[in-house]
Amino acid sequence: MAVLQMQKIHICALKSNRRKILEELQKRGTVQIEDGETEDEVFCKIDTGAERAESEKKSQAAQDALRVLARYAPEKKGLLSSLEGKRELTDSQYQEGKERCGRTDETVRRILGLEKTIGEERTARIRTETAIESLKPWLGLDVPMSYAGTGRTAAFVGTMPGQWNEEELLAAVAEAAPQLAAFSIEILGRDKDQTCLFAVCVREEAEQLEDALRMNGFVRPQIHTDQTPAAYTADLEQEAE
């Protein structure tokens, strides 16, 4: 087969027609476009780097949006669809695509924005479910987690490390603060790591009781709410849903 000699052409045109000419040459696929070799006072190169970077950015965003859609609404394709290659467009289809670019960009932004929101909501749901799980040992408490007592009594809601029963707790506190006249401790729940409790005494002896509890590892719960654990759990379950 004879090898044809490469032909070079130079095209000069108005700057306003530059894009149309380039698009037509690229669609025909018979010319390899090269940068102009020389510049003078009349003819000069146009820096298209910014335009190209913006187009590549939009193209990447559109591909990301397609991957998102593929997860939620996968397109049904035949077994041989991967062998089809790229579809050739007619001039009218190409022009219609150009006219839709603005709407397509907006759709892409909306899809990626929704995907970000879904991710944020999924993370929030995990946090909410973790809070619900941490409230389970406290469901027997019929006062708010922040309850501190009445005008004449002081109350303490918190945890002790390890597993305790009421007799052990009463003995440990009595040993740490033998001067306490009267106090009460109720165990609300326990697991392998901690024991949840509610303690109460007369307000005048609040400091002594708290010191005795802290000597045995007492800490207040990390969840702060003015609701009862059961009411707060119900609100969290509704939020998760």
Side-chain angles (χ1 to χ4, degrees):
M1 178 183 293
V3 178
L4 298 178
Q5 184 178 358
M6 181 72 71
Q7 300 292 322
K8 289 189 176 183
I9 62 172
H10 292 271
I11 299 176
C12 298
L14 294 176
K15 186 185 295 184
S16 58
N17 294 328
R18 177 179 180 276
R19 185 181 294 276
K20 292 181 180 179
I21 293 172
L22 284 173
E23 288 178 350
E24 184 63 31
L25 292 173
Q26 288 170 339
K27 281 194 294 182
R28 292 182 178 275
T30 57
V31 178
Q32 177 180 337
I33 309 297
E34 295 181 355
D35 289 336
E37 297 176 354
T38 59
E39 295 188 25
D40 54 32
E41 295 178 355
V42 179
F43 300 104
C44 62
K45 297 179 182 179
I46 297 177
D47 184 6
T48 60
E51 283 188 13
R52 177 173 180 176
E54 181 65 19
S55 295
E56 290 176 346
K57 180 180 177 181
K58 289 181 177 180
S59 175
Q60 182 60 54
Q63 293 178 52
D64 293 341
L66 283 174
R67 281 192 285 270
V68 172
L69 289 178
R71 290 203 302 271
Y72 295 99
E75 185 179 3
K76 294 181 180 179
K77 296 181 179 181
L79 295 176
L80 301 179
S81 59
S82 60
L83 304 178
E84 293 176 354
K86 294 183 178 181
R87 180 166 57 94
E88 186 173 352
L89 302 179
T90 64
D91 286 343
S92 60
Q93 289 173 327
Y94 178 76
Q95 291 301 324
E96 289 173 4
K98 283 183 61 180
E99 294 170 1
R100 288 197 307 270
C101 277
R103 297 195 301 275
T104 300
D105 290 343
E106 178 60 32
T107 301
V108 166
R109 285 192 292 271
R110 182 165 181 265
I111 291 171
L112 296 181
L114 289 171
E115 172 69 358
K116 181 180 178 181
T117 299
I118 288 172
E120 292 170 348
E121 292 295 323
R122 185 178 290 118
T123 300
R125 181 182 175 91
I126 292 173
R127 286 199 301 266
T128 302
E129 291 175 340
T130 300
I132 292 171
E133 187 66 25
S134 67
L135 281 166
K136 286 183 177 180
W138 298 100
L139 293 180
L141 181 66
D142 56 3
V143 294
M145 300 282 285
S146 59
Y147 184 71
T150 65
R152 300 186 62 184
T153 63
F156 301 91
V157 178
T159 63
M160 303 271 276
Q163 294 183 336
W164 296 70
N165 58 42
E166 289 187 8
E167 291 75 15
E168 291 171 337
L169 279 174
L170 291 170
V173 171
E175 182 180 354
Q179 72 277 20
L180 284 172
F183 63 93
S184 175
I185 298 178
E186 178 185 356
I187 292 180
L188 304 168
R190 64 168 69 88
D191 57 31
K192 62 183 179 65
D193 298 317
Q194 64 181 6
T195 298
C196 303
L197 62 90
F198 175 78
V200 63
C201 68
V202 293
R203 185 158 293 279
E204 292 78 10
E205 296 183 338
E207 186 175 348
Q208 294 95 311
L209 177 57
E210 184 173 13
D211 288 345
L213 290 170
R214 290 189 183 280
M215 288 176 62
N216 289 279
F218 174 83
V219 293
R220 296 191 182 271
Q222 293 183 344
I223 297 177
H224 302 284
T225 174
D226 292 331
Q227 297 176 282
T228 64
Y232 189 39
T233 296
D235 285 350
L236 289 175
E237 287 174 343
Q238 184 176 1
E239 182 180 335
E241 183 63 26

